[in-house]
Amino acid sequence: MKRHVTIKDVARVAGVAPSTVSYVLNGSRAVTAETTKAVLEAVDQLKYRPNPTAQGLVSGAYRTIGVVSAQIYSQYRGRVVAGIHSALRGTGYHPIVSGIEDFAEPDEVLETVMGRGVDALIFHDHFFPPERIAELHRQMPVICVAREIDGMPDRSVLVDEVNGGYLATQHLIELGHTRIAHFVADHHFQGAAQRLAGYRKALEEAGIPFDPALVFQGDNLGDSGLRLAYELLESGVPVTAIFAANDYMAYGAILALHRRGLRVPEHISVVGYDDEHTSGFYVPPLTTIRQEPREMGRTAAEAVLKLLRGEVFRTVVTPTRLIVRESTAAPGHAG
Amino acid sequence: MKRHVTIKDVARVAGVAPSTVSYVLNGSRAVTAETTKAVLEAVDQLKYRPNPTAQGLVSGAYRTIGVVSAQIYSQYRGRVVAGIHSALRGTGYHPIVSGIEDFAEPDEVLETVMGRGVDALIFHDHFFPPERIAELHRQMPVICVAREIDGMPDRSVLVDEVNGGYLATQHLIELGHTRIAHFVADHHFQGAAQRLAGYRKALEEAGIPFDPALVFQGDNLGDSGLRLAYELLESGVPVTAIFAANDYMAYGAILALHRRGLRVPEHISVVGYDDEHTSGFYVPPLTTIRQEPREMGRTAAEAVLKLLRGEVFRTVVTPTRLIVRESTAAPGHAG
DNA sequence: CTGTTAGCGCTTTCAA
DNA sequence: TTGAAAGCGCTAACAG
């Protein structure tokens, strides 16, 4: 395999000192136009690319942002990462992503990410122990997406989850539903409680009493939606609509209803949450809550850059909105 | 922010030379039990972790595998990455992933991945220019997943795509279908042609003449499945089944049929490809072709490790199998 | 305006 | 069996 071209090679070819090459490339000191030209030519000729590892060793800065993201197979989560990428573009910083697997060990994830030398961290993972995150927070800038950690004020990019839950439920109520079940998101996830709060708020506002028998704890997977829907049906509690706290659970619920001969939305309306890219092609296309994952990623990356520059960042809350498709309709639609 | 504990700190505390600490930690030279103990205690006490960046600088090896993966939001692709992670676990090597975005620029992706210092590369991306990959291949071990590149023999982990296409089509034929449309996968993707070849092979074997009017070029997205299905319906060509070269196109197709009042599988059978995690919860649950993405990732990682050790690797072909669910049935099922 | 030198954290000769 | 010293590729004082 081939040896790397180093700054010395460039210096030799350009007939200058290595440091001069460094100064030209980094603009960290005034250099004659002539010298600059010679250096740049040598760089071109040798196709020299500085070794960021060595740069990092010297400066103690790696120009790298570690990103820890669980369950990246969700389009929603992938988009957050995409937003981070795009905000970092042209800044000289690059993201390195880990925690692709659902249940990657915290230590391992950290070793992957930290081991490479990172200047800051973005967490989009609700499994990672908060104490560990807080600990890292003491060593470098850390931003959390869709999560808040005790002792880390102004270090989050949040989503207006309460409003999301509210919007979903209110939509159902406006359609005329009063018996609305809610499949709660995975309990590790902070948004779960907030979506539930939004659900309760909408009910309350409409004067519909909250019924605990209508709320079921899920775990975000399709299978849990399926199971919960069966449970709901078997419980005999009358219901005309389901608000599932994520799209996958909504899929599972719709399948369960289908298997029991219940059609959506004719017999039961269903609304999801996240607007995964498959939801518009589901049968029926799913009414859901859309967040702005790309925007969230961008904001998180910009926050980190800000902290790195020593500026202040204040926690921001990104909006949610309702996407009405075809899985919701007025109740009693089919009798 | 906190300064890192260095090998010197450990040496001081243990009362030995920095090099001795290195020898103890790497086992690269015999050391007294006593000295070893002192060093290990100091390491423990200071919570010392060697800086891999510095190690990399010296050794020229970074113990890092770059992974370039397009469209990682597909569960299938995410699983390949998970397989890579898991095969690397405990080897001292770590993957760093890039190319999360659909249309990330090759140069940018490379800068992210290469810039960090990687010892080898795994490509799971059919957009990346082959010449660029071949060029990298000259500098370090490179393995491609589900793709072969000219001039790079024995550098791929392949999938038995022909068999996949064959299995899907044969299943339909066994059910009694003879008019089977095929939605071809994105043309950037090598497997597209192979899946088509499998389709043709199954037809031929059954004595069913190949009809070009039944094949439609898609681009892997749900929307393309939708569009193609409308096209198919409008063409007036009679058809009782569709084999879509990926699940997302199958979703789109099913939605289009649904909109035209056609039920699946009663009026038209549909089979997909990839077995995305949502497919089992689709209505109806999708019959599809399952690959072994996790296995593929593992194999790719092991291949790279092998090459790094100077051993030989021979291209392997991983199996595909049919998963029969509820989107397929005998034709004329509903009249 | 430019070159020399030291040193980032580590490994690995070379000496003892 | 161990320590000292050089050097990986780069940057940033320090001199001129």
Side-chain angles (χ1 to χ4, degrees):
Chain A
M1 313 278 158
K2 211 166 59 181
R3 206 183 63 82
H4 223 78
V5 177
T6 79
I7 201 170
K8 282 187 190 163
D9 300 319
V10 177
R12 198 176 331 106
V13 170
V16 300
S19 56
T20 302
V21 176
S22 169
Y23 289 127
V24 169
L25 261 24
N26 301 315
S28 40
R29 172 160 101 175
V31 180
T32 344
E34 201 179 1
T35 316
T36 303
K37 186 161 162 285
V39 168
L40 260 23
E41 276 175 8
V43 166
D44 257 29
Q45 183 192 325
L46 300 175
K47 293 199 213 308
Y48 167 70
R49 310 268 305 127
N51 177 336
T53 304
Q55 291 178 315
L57 228 209
V58 173
S59 60
Y62 299 91
R63 312 235 109 204
T64 299
I65 310 294
V67 178
V68 177
S69 177
Q71 296 168 308
I72 204 167
Y73 59 76
S74 147
Q75 162 90 331
Y76 159 67
R77 285 170 176 275
R79 280 195 179 149
V80 171
V81 173
I84 293 173
H85 268 268
S86 104
L88 255 26
R89 183 158 306 155
T91 63
Y93 282 86
H94 289 279
I96 91 170
V97 184
S98 191
I100 303 291
E101 289 196 85
D102 288 18
F103 302 107
E105 296 287 333
D107 286 319
E108 191 165 341
V109 168
L110 271 196
E111 195 181 328
T112 298
V113 166
M114 304 284 299
R116 297 313 104 179
V118 300
D119 301 317
L121 249 18
I122 295 175
F123 279 92
H124 187 199
D125 176 320
H126 40 272
F127 293 109
F128 217 91
E131 320 82 58
R132 301 292 304 275
I133 297 182
E135 194 185 316
L136 291 161
H137 168 60
R138 268 171 248 125
Q139 302 173 225
M140 64 180 73
V142 173
I143 289 291
C144 292
V145 175
R147 178 174 186 179
E148 275 187 302
I149 303 225
D150 279 348
M152 288 177 56
D154 286 316
R155 288 294 179 273
S156 294
V157 174
L158 267 16
V159 186
D160 197 348
E161 309 276 14
V162 176
N163 187 241
Y166 176 81
L167 255 23
T169 314
Q170 193 204 31
H171 167 64
L172 259 6
I173 292 172
E174 271 177 3
L175 252 16
H177 297 273
T178 54
R179 301 290 304 170
I180 304 169
H182 178 45
F183 292 179
V184 182
D186 191 294
H187 69 279
H188 291 286
F189 171 55
Q190 288 184 350
Q194 300 173 20
R195 292 174 191 183
L196 173 61
Y199 162 82
R200 297 189 63 154
K201 182 178 157 206
L203 291 180
E204 191 173 338
E205 217 177 273
I208 303 171
F210 171 72
D211 181 354
L214 292 177
V215 346
F216 296 79
Q217 181 61 55
D219 69 5
N220 284 11
L221 301 179
D223 200 52
S224 115
L226 189 85
R227 210 169 17 78
L228 261 27
Y230 283 141
E231 226 174 274
L232 170 63
L233 260 21
E234 273 151 33
S235 76
V237 191
V239 129
T240 61
I242 297 172
F243 162 36
N246 84 345
D247 284 359
Y248 299 138
M249 290 197 291
Y251 298 166
I254 293 176
L255 177 58
L257 297 172
H258 174 77
R259 288 213 193 291
R260 288 285 184 270
L262 263 18
R263 263 175 303 137
V264 174
E266 290 82 352
H267 298 98
I268 293 197
S269 286
V270 175
V271 7
Y273 203 114
D274 284 347
D275 196 23
E276 298 285 349
H277 71 307
T278 42
S279 294
F281 297 100
Y282 201 79
V283 175
L286 192 68
T287 294
T288 187
I289 298 296
R290 177 180 297 175
Q291 311 175 225
E292 300 295 346
R294 216 190 149 84
E295 200 48 41
M296 290 156 61
R298 291 195 66 87
T299 309
E302 282 158 10
V304 141
L305 258 19
K306 233 176 209 173
L307 295 175
L308 247 11
R309 286 192 302 258
E311 303 172 19
V312 303
F313 169 73
R314 300 238 162 277
T315 284
V316 326
V317 178
T318 58
T320 43
R321 63 187 217 270
L322 177 71
I323 304 292
V324 178
R325 288 200 273 247
E326 303 164 35
S327 64
T328 48
H333 198 62
Chain B
M1 312 278 157
K2 210 166 59 182
R3 208 184 63 82
H4 223 78
V5 177
T6 78
I7 201 170
K8 282 187 192 163
D9 300 320
V10 178
R12 197 176 332 106
V13 171
V16 300
S19 53
T20 301
V21 176
S22 169
Y23 289 126
V24 169
L25 260 25
N26 302 314
S28 39
R29 174 162 98 176
V31 180
T32 343
E34 200 180 3
T35 316
T36 303
K37 184 159 164 288
V39 168
L40 260 21
E41 276 174 9
V43 165
D44 256 27
Q45 184 193 325
L46 300 174
K47 293 199 214 307
Y48 168 71
R49 310 270 301 129
N51 177 337
T53 304
Q55 292 178 312
L57 227 209
V58 174
S59 60
Y62 299 92
R63 312 235 109 202
T64 299
I65 309 294
V67 178
V68 177
S69 177
Q71 295 168 306
I72 206 168
Y73 58 77
S74 147
Q75 161 90 330
Y76 158 66
R77 286 173 174 274
R79 280 195 180 150
V80 171
V81 174
I84 294 172
H85 269 268
S86 103
L88 254 27
R89 183 158 306 154
T91 63
Y93 281 86
H94 289 279
I96 91 169
V97 184
S98 190
I100 304 293
E101 289 196 86
D102 288 16
F103 304 107
E105 297 287 333
D107 286 320
E108 192 165 337
V109 168
L110 271 196
E111 195 180 327
T112 298
V113 166
M114 305 284 298
R116 297 313 105 182
V118 299
D119 301 317
L121 248 17
I122 295 175
F123 279 92
H124 188 199
D125 174 322
H126 40 274
F127 293 110
F128 218 91
E131 320 82 58
R132 301 292 303 277
I133 297 182
E135 195 185 316
L136 291 162
H137 168 61
R138 268 171 247 125
Q139 303 172 225
M140 65 179 72
V142 174
I143 289 290
C144 292
V145 175
R147 178 175 185 180
E148 275 187 300
I149 302 223
D150 280 348
M152 287 177 56
D154 287 317
R155 286 295 179 275
S156 294
V157 174
L158 269 13
V159 186
D160 198 349
E161 309 277 13
V162 175
N163 187 242
Y166 175 82
L167 253 26
T169 313
Q170 194 205 30
H171 167 65
L172 259 6
I173 292 171
E174 271 177 3
L175 251 16
H177 297 273
T178 55
R179 302 290 303 170
I180 304 168
H182 178 44
F183 292 179
V184 182
D186 191 293
H187 68 281
H188 290 286
F189 171 55
Q190 289 182 351
Q194 300 172 21
R195 292 174 193 184
L196 174 60
Y199 163 81
R200 296 189 64 157
K201 182 178 158 207
L203 291 180
E204 191 174 336
E205 218 176 271
I208 301 171
F210 171 72
D211 181 354
L214 292 178
V215 345
F216 296 78
Q217 180 62 54
D219 69 4
N220 284 10
L221 301 178
D223 201 52
S224 114
L226 189 85
R227 212 168 16 77
L228 262 26
Y230 282 141
E231 228 174 88
L232 170 63
L233 260 21
E234 272 150 33
S235 75
V237 190
V239 128
T240 60
I242 297 172
F243 162 37
N246 85 344
D247 284 359
Y248 299 138
M249 291 197 291
Y251 298 165
I254 293 175
L255 177 58
L257 297 172
H258 174 77
R259 288 212 193 291
R260 289 287 184 268
L262 265 18
R263 265 176 301 136
V264 174
E266 291 82 352
H267 298 97
I268 293 197
S269 286
V270 174
V271 8
Y273 203 112
D274 284 347
D275 196 24
E276 297 286 347
H277 71 307
T278 42
S279 294
F281 297 99
Y282 201 79
V283 175
L286 193 67
T287 295
T288 188
I289 298 296
R290 177 180 296 175
Q291 310 176 225
E292 299 296 347
R294 216 188 148 86
E295 201 46 44
M296 290 158 61
R298 290 195 66 87
T299 308
E302 282 159 11
V304 141
L305 257 20
K306 235 177 210 174
L307 295 175
L308 247 12
R309 287 192 301 258
E311 302 172 18
V312 302
F313 169 73
R314 301 236 162 278
T315 283
V316 326
V317 178
T318 58
T320 44
R321 64 186 216 271
L322 177 73
I323 305 291
V324 179
R325 287 199 275 246
E326 302 165 36
S327 65
T328 47
H333 197 62

PDB file of all heavy atoms in Angstrom, chain A residues 22-40:
ATOM      1  N   SER A  22       2.355  24.856   5.991  1.00  0.00           N
ATOM      2  CA  SER A  22       1.260  24.895   6.957  1.00  0.00           C
ATOM      3  C   SER A  22       0.630  26.289   7.003  1.00  0.00           C
ATOM      4  O   SER A  22      -0.602  26.429   6.974  1.00  0.00           O
ATOM      5  CB  SER A  22       1.796  24.509   8.328  1.00  0.00           C
ATOM      6  OG  SER A  22       0.848  24.765   9.330  1.00  0.00           O
ATOM      7  N   TYR A  23       1.463  27.315   7.043  1.00  0.00           N
ATOM      8  CA  TYR A  23       0.945  28.683   7.116  1.00  0.00           C
ATOM      9  C   TYR A  23       0.121  29.031   5.883  1.00  0.00           C
ATOM     10  O   TYR A  23      -0.942  29.644   5.989  1.00  0.00           O
ATOM     11  CB  TYR A  23       2.106  29.672   7.274  1.00  0.00           C
ATOM     12  CG  TYR A  23       2.751  29.588   8.645  1.00  0.00           C
ATOM     13  CD1 TYR A  23       4.113  29.414   8.797  1.00  0.00           C
ATOM     14  CD2 TYR A  23       1.964  29.662   9.795  1.00  0.00           C
ATOM     15  CE1 TYR A  23       4.696  29.326  10.044  1.00  0.00           C
ATOM     16  CE2 TYR A  23       2.544  29.572  11.051  1.00  0.00           C
ATOM     17  CZ  TYR A  23       3.898  29.409  11.179  1.00  0.00           C
ATOM     18  OH  TYR A  23       4.458  29.312  12.425  1.00  0.00           O
ATOM     19  N   VAL A  24       0.619  28.629   4.728  1.00  0.00           N
ATOM     20  CA  VAL A  24      -0.121  28.912   3.497  1.00  0.00           C
ATOM     21  C   VAL A  24      -1.481  28.233   3.541  1.00  0.00           C
ATOM     22  O   VAL A  24      -2.516  28.856   3.299  1.00  0.00           O
ATOM     23  CB  VAL A  24       0.664  28.412   2.258  1.00  0.00           C
ATOM     24  CG1 VAL A  24      -0.225  28.462   1.018  1.00  0.00           C
ATOM     25  CG2 VAL A  24       1.917  29.244   2.057  1.00  0.00           C
ATOM     26  N   LEU A  25      -1.455  26.963   3.879  1.00  0.00           N
ATOM     27  CA  LEU A  25      -2.695  26.187   3.837  1.00  0.00           C
ATOM     28  C   LEU A  25      -3.712  26.644   4.880  1.00  0.00           C
ATOM     29  O   LEU A  25      -4.920  26.578   4.656  1.00  0.00           O
ATOM     30  CB  LEU A  25      -2.367  24.717   4.043  1.00  0.00           C
ATOM     31  CG  LEU A  25      -2.293  23.842   2.782  1.00  0.00           C
ATOM     32  CD1 LEU A  25      -1.996  24.650   1.538  1.00  0.00           C
ATOM     33  CD2 LEU A  25      -1.308  22.717   2.958  1.00  0.00           C
ATOM     34  N   ASN A  26      -3.212  27.102   6.005  1.00  0.00           N
ATOM     35  CA  ASN A  26      -4.142  27.497   7.054  1.00  0.00           C
ATOM     36  C   ASN A  26      -4.379  29.000   7.122  1.00  0.00           C
ATOM     37  O   ASN A  26      -5.188  29.467   7.908  1.00  0.00           O
ATOM     38  CB  ASN A  26      -3.638  27.013   8.406  1.00  0.00           C
ATOM     39  CG  ASN A  26      -3.471  25.519   8.430  1.00  0.00           C
ATOM     40  OD1 ASN A  26      -4.350  24.788   7.971  1.00  0.00           O
ATOM     41  ND2 ASN A  26      -2.349  25.048   8.925  1.00  0.00           N
ATOM     42  N   GLY A  27      -3.621  29.742   6.296  1.00  0.00           N
ATOM     43  CA  GLY A  27      -3.777  31.203   6.310  1.00  0.00           C
ATOM     44  C   GLY A  27      -3.466  31.775   7.672  1.00  0.00           C
ATOM     45  O   GLY A  27      -3.964  32.837   8.040  1.00  0.00           O
ATOM     46  N   SER A  28      -2.640  31.084   8.434  1.00  0.00           N
ATOM     47  CA  SER A  28      -2.410  31.523   9.809  1.00  0.00           C
ATOM     48  C   SER A  28      -1.263  32.521   9.931  1.00  0.00           C
ATOM     49  O   SER A  28      -0.868  32.888  11.030  1.00  0.00           O
ATOM     50  CB  SER A  28      -2.176  30.304  10.709  1.00  0.00           C
ATOM     51  OG  SER A  28      -1.388  29.336  10.062  1.00  0.00           O
ATOM     52  N   ARG A  29      -0.731  32.944   8.800  1.00  0.00           N
ATOM     53  CA  ARG A  29       0.336  33.950   8.837  1.00  0.00           C
ATOM     54  C   ARG A  29       0.476  34.510   7.420  1.00  0.00           C
ATOM     55  O   ARG A  29       0.228  33.803   6.449  1.00  0.00           O
ATOM     56  CB  ARG A  29       1.618  33.271   9.296  1.00  0.00           C
ATOM     57  CG  ARG A  29       2.828  34.127   9.201  1.00  0.00           C
ATOM     58  CD  ARG A  29       3.910  33.565  10.111  1.00  0.00           C
ATOM     59  NE  ARG A  29       4.885  32.819   9.364  1.00  0.00           N
ATOM     60  CZ  ARG A  29       5.991  32.298   9.914  1.00  0.00           C
ATOM     61  NH1 ARG A  29       6.186  32.405  11.216  1.00  0.00           N
ATOM     62  NH2 ARG A  29       6.846  31.661   9.192  1.00  0.00           N
ATOM     63  N   ALA A  30       0.877  35.763   7.323  1.00  0.00           N
ATOM     64  CA  ALA A  30       1.031  36.379   6.002  1.00  0.00           C
ATOM     65  C   ALA A  30       2.190  35.733   5.239  1.00  0.00           C
ATOM     66  O   ALA A  30       3.235  35.453   5.818  1.00  0.00           O
ATOM     67  CB  ALA A  30       1.277  37.867   6.158  1.00  0.00           C
ATOM     68  N   VAL A  31       1.959  35.461   3.969  1.00  0.00           N
ATOM     69  CA  VAL A  31       2.967  34.820   3.127  1.00  0.00           C
ATOM     70  C   VAL A  31       2.973  35.529   1.763  1.00  0.00           C
ATOM     71  O   VAL A  31       1.925  35.943   1.283  1.00  0.00           O
ATOM     72  CB  VAL A  31       2.619  33.319   2.916  1.00  0.00           C
ATOM     73  CG1 VAL A  31       3.666  32.642   2.040  1.00  0.00           C
ATOM     74  CG2 VAL A  31       2.494  32.614   4.252  1.00  0.00           C
ATOM     75  N   THR A  32       4.148  35.674   1.169  1.00  0.00           N
ATOM     76  CA  THR A  32       4.240  36.311  -0.158  1.00  0.00           C
ATOM     77  C   THR A  32       3.383  35.588  -1.184  1.00  0.00           C
ATOM     78  O   THR A  32       3.233  34.371  -1.116  1.00  0.00           O
ATOM     79  CB  THR A  32       5.677  36.225  -0.732  1.00  0.00           C
ATOM     80  OG1 THR A  32       6.568  35.908   0.306  1.00  0.00           O
ATOM     81  CG2 THR A  32       6.045  37.499  -1.453  1.00  0.00           C
ATOM     82  N   ALA A  33       2.906  36.357  -2.132  1.00  0.00           N
ATOM     83  CA  ALA A  33       2.111  35.756  -3.202  1.00  0.00           C
ATOM     84  C   ALA A  33       2.926  34.696  -3.926  1.00  0.00           C
ATOM     85  O   ALA A  33       2.428  33.621  -4.280  1.00  0.00           O
ATOM     86  CB  ALA A  33       1.669  36.829  -4.186  1.00  0.00           C
ATOM     87  N   GLU A  34       4.166  34.995  -4.077  1.00  0.00           N
ATOM     88  CA  GLU A  34       5.068  34.094  -4.797  1.00  0.00           C
ATOM     89  C   GLU A  34       5.214  32.747  -4.078  1.00  0.00           C
ATOM     90  O   GLU A  34       5.046  31.675  -4.658  1.00  0.00           O
ATOM     91  CB  GLU A  34       6.426  34.784  -4.895  1.00  0.00           C
ATOM     92  CG  GLU A  34       7.313  34.251  -6.014  1.00  0.00           C
ATOM     93  CD  GLU A  34       8.638  35.022  -6.029  1.00  0.00           C
ATOM     94  OE1 GLU A  34       8.810  35.917  -5.155  1.00  0.00           O
ATOM     95  OE2 GLU A  34       9.479  34.732  -6.884  1.00  0.00           O
ATOM     96  N   THR A  35       5.531  32.834  -2.797  1.00  0.00           N
ATOM     97  CA  THR A  35       5.676  31.615  -1.993  1.00  0.00           C
ATOM     98  C   THR A  35       4.371  30.822  -1.999  1.00  0.00           C
ATOM     99  O   THR A  35       4.354  29.602  -2.170  1.00  0.00           O
ATOM    100  CB  THR A  35       6.007  31.988  -0.529  1.00  0.00           C
ATOM    101  OG1 THR A  35       6.987  33.021  -0.544  1.00  0.00           O
ATOM    102  CG2 THR A  35       6.523  30.793   0.213  1.00  0.00           C
ATOM    103  N   THR A  36       3.294  31.564  -1.793  1.00  0.00           N
ATOM    104  CA  THR A  36       1.987  30.917  -1.793  1.00  0.00           C
ATOM    105  C   THR A  36       1.781  30.109  -3.066  1.00  0.00           C
ATOM    106  O   THR A  36       1.360  28.948  -3.022  1.00  0.00           O
ATOM    107  CB  THR A  36       0.879  31.999  -1.704  1.00  0.00           C
ATOM    108  OG1 THR A  36       1.100  32.779  -0.542  1.00  0.00           O
ATOM    109  CG2 THR A  36      -0.492  31.347  -1.631  1.00  0.00           C
ATOM    110  N   LYS A  37       2.114  30.745  -4.158  1.00  0.00           N
ATOM    111  CA  LYS A  37       1.922  30.101  -5.447  1.00  0.00           C
ATOM    112  C   LYS A  37       2.733  28.803  -5.533  1.00  0.00           C
ATOM    113  O   LYS A  37       2.226  27.746  -5.916  1.00  0.00           O
ATOM    114  CB  LYS A  37       2.332  31.068  -6.573  1.00  0.00           C
ATOM    115  CG  LYS A  37       2.046  30.564  -7.975  1.00  0.00           C
ATOM    116  CD  LYS A  37       2.032  31.722  -8.975  1.00  0.00           C
ATOM    117  CE  LYS A  37       2.203  31.209 -10.410  1.00  0.00           C
ATOM    118  NZ  LYS A  37       3.600  30.804 -10.708  1.00  0.00           N
ATOM    119  N   ALA A  38       4.001  28.911  -5.151  1.00  0.00           N
ATOM    120  CA  ALA A  38       4.875  27.749  -5.217  1.00  0.00           C
ATOM    121  C   ALA A  38       4.317  26.602  -4.372  1.00  0.00           C
ATOM    122  O   ALA A  38       4.278  25.444  -4.795  1.00  0.00           O
ATOM    123  CB  ALA A  38       6.271  28.127  -4.737  1.00  0.00           C
ATOM    124  N   VAL A  39       3.860  26.944  -3.192  1.00  0.00           N
ATOM    125  CA  VAL A  39       3.313  25.922  -2.286  1.00  0.00           C
ATOM    126  C   VAL A  39       2.074  25.288  -2.890  1.00  0.00           C
ATOM    127  O   VAL A  39       1.946  24.055  -2.963  1.00  0.00           O
ATOM    128  CB  VAL A  39       2.971  26.545  -0.914  1.00  0.00           C
ATOM    129  CG1 VAL A  39       2.152  25.573  -0.083  1.00  0.00           C
ATOM    130  CG2 VAL A  39       4.243  26.942  -0.190  1.00  0.00           C
ATOM    131  N   LEU A  40       1.180  26.139  -3.340  1.00  0.00           N
ATOM    132  CA  LEU A  40      -0.066  25.622  -3.901  1.00  0.00           C
ATOM    133  C   LEU A  40       0.190  24.707  -5.099  1.00  0.00           C
ATOM    134  O   LEU A  40      -0.480  23.674  -5.268  1.00  0.00           O
ATOM    135  CB  LEU A  40      -0.969  26.801  -4.319  1.00  0.00           C
ATOM    136  CG  LEU A  40      -2.092  27.171  -3.344  1.00  0.00           C
ATOM    137  CD1 LEU A  40      -1.814  26.722  -1.923  1.00  0.00           C
ATOM    138  CD2 LEU A  40      -2.394  28.661  -3.381  1.00  0.00           C
TER     139      LEU A  40
END
